[in-house]
Amino acid sequence: MAGLNKVMLIGNLGRDPEIRYTASGLAIANINLATTERFKGEDRTEWHRVVVFDKLAEICGQYLTKGRQVYFEGRLQTKEWTDKDGNKRWTTEIIANNMVMLGGRGEGQGPSNYQPRPAQRPAPQNNGYQNNGPADGGYQDDMPGPSYDQGGMDDDDIPF
C-alpha cells in the first residue's frame, strides 16, 4: 500500500521570505512560518521551515512579508548533513506546492504600507531556461488545484 506525505499549515511569517536562484534560474524561497495553538490556556508556538520552488517562490518573494498569515500545503522532507564538528544533523522542511494568502492585503504591516516587492530574477545562465519539474515528473503546472467545497457547512462549523 502506498503512503501519504501531506502537510497543511496556517500560520504567520516570522520574517520576509529569502529568495535565491540556482545557476539555471530556478527560484527557491525559504520561509519561516509560526503556527500557534492554545492548550490549557497557554499559547504554544511551533516554527516550520517552508521551501517553495519556481514561479510560486517568486510570488512568495513578491507578495509575502513578515507577519502575513498564509496557508501552505505540501509534503515533509528531511535533509541530513554533517556539521563542522563532524556531528550528523537533520532538518525537516515542508516542500510547499500550494500557497494561499490569508487575511487583509496589508496584514502584518498595516494596510497603508502594503506594496508588493518587485521580483528580482537574474537572467538565466543557460539560454532558454524551461521548468519541466522534478526528474520524477511529479509536478505539473497545469494540474487542477484542490476543491474546497464546504458541503453546506457554515462558517460557524469550521473549527478554526
Side-chain angles (χ1 to χ4, degrees):
M1 174 184 240
L4 176 65
N5 182 354
K6 185 169 187 144
V7 176
M8 295 184 286
L9 295 171
I10 295 176
N12 296 80
L13 268 65
R15 63 177 179 226
D16 290 351
E18 297 174 7
I19 309 297
R20 61 186 171 88
Y21 293 87
T22 63
S24 63
L26 177 70
I28 302 171
N30 291 307
I31 297 168
N32 287 330
L33 188 75
T35 56
T36 303
E37 63 182 346
R38 184 167 286 263
F39 183 74
K40 294 185 178 180
E42 185 178 320
D43 284 343
R44 291 185 179 176
T45 301
E46 260 323 297
W47 286 94
H48 310 274
R49 293 176 49 91
V50 180
V51 182
V52 186
F53 294 94
D54 205 25
K55 184 65 177 169
L56 188 56
E58 292 179 347
I59 291 169
C60 289
Q62 187 174 4
Y63 292 101
L64 297 183
T65 55
K66 178 181 178 177
R68 179 75 190 247
Q69 188 179 42
V70 184
Y71 165 83
F72 282 107
E73 185 175 312
R75 62 184 170 82
L76 288 177
Q77 177 175 293
T78 302
K79 291 182 181 180
E80 180 182 331
W81 78 94
T82 305
D83 68 13
K84 63 183 178 182
D85 298 326
N87 300 314
K88 285 189 178 183
R89 302 284 184 177
W90 294 268
T91 298
T92 300
E93 303 172 325
I94 292 88
I95 307 300
N97 57 18
N98 190 18
M99 180 271 300
V100 177
M101 294 178 269
L102 303 173
R105 286 183 13 162
E107 189 169 299
Q109 10 169 261
S112 61
N113 296 334
Y114 175 77
Q115 287 189 349
R117 294 186 305 272
Q120 299 176 356
R121 182 180 189 143
Q125 292 183 4
N126 63 344
N127 253 347
Y129 162 74
Q130 181 178 6
N131 178 31
N132 293 322
D136 66 359
Y139 173 81
Q140 295 178 357
D141 281 339
D142 58 347
M143 291 180 69
S147 171
Y148 294 105
D149 180 15
Q150 292 182 351
M153 290 176 51
D154 294 325
D155 285 342
D156 295 336
D157 296 331
I158 299 173
F160 50 88

